[in-house]
Amino acid sequence: GLLCVRLIGGRVGWTRFVSSIPIFGPMAHWAGAAEMLRLLQVMLNQQVPLSEALELTSQGTHNANMALVARWLAFGTRHGKPLADLMAQTSRVPPPIVPMVQWGESHNALPQALADAYELLESRIRWRSSLLSSLLPPLLLIIVGISIGLMAIGMLLPLISLTQALT
């Protein structure tokens, strides 16, 4: 199953699959988006034109899904569309990012808006990981306890049915 997703879907398919996993998936997605925003911000701070900065960002982003998004955004901005409008058209960009980018474009402060968006995603990742680290140990204990209980019942069930059959 997982091997098929990796082989058939390639890097993009695999990244999308990982992003769809409950609890952990959003963190992976936000991390990819944060990396894309950070790289784009660095490029813009170096006075690289937006469409070229997006193209370079797509080449430097490790997350294959976000690299594809950056390439698509580069194509759209090269054809004169505002970055925020393009980001609003795709579900792959986290929704809270769009108004921040919109503000950055309208106030000629896109690098700062991207830095703020990056910080927002990083804080969400930190919050989610601290929540997971506090919830995971008790959850694992419950799962292990249930597993041991089911194994004990599974081992005792044949003995009970044998005892009933003999009496």
Side-chain angles (χ1 to χ4, degrees), residues 130-146:
S130 69
L131 180 68
L132 283 176
S133 66
S134 63
L135 290 179
L136 213 52
L139 190 62
L140 286 175
L141 183 66
I142 291 169
I143 290 171
V144 168
I146 290 172

Side-chain angles (χ1 to χ4, degrees), residues 50-71:
L50 181 59
S51 60
E52 186 180 341
L54 283 161
E55 191 61 45
L56 291 170
T57 297
S58 76
Q59 294 170 15
T61 301
H62 292 96
N63 184 301
N65 191 26
M66 285 297 123
L68 191 64
V69 169
R71 231 174 282 126

Side-chain angles (χ1 to χ4, degrees), residues 93-129:
V93 174
I97 303 308
V98 176
M100 298 173 88
V101 170
Q102 204 167 31
W103 180 88
E105 284 182 315
S106 66
H107 289 84
N108 202 23
L110 189 55
Q112 182 58 47
L114 292 171
D116 293 343
Y118 168 81
E119 288 300 321
L120 173 73
L121 290 177
E122 284 295 312
S123 68
R124 282 185 172 199
I125 292 167
R126 283 190 300 273
W127 178 81
R128 174 83 51 118
S129 64

Side-chain angles (χ1 to χ4, degrees), residues 82-95:
L83 181 60
D85 291 352
L86 291 167
M87 286 181 162
Q89 291 175 11
T90 179
S91 62
R92 296 182 199 162
V93 174

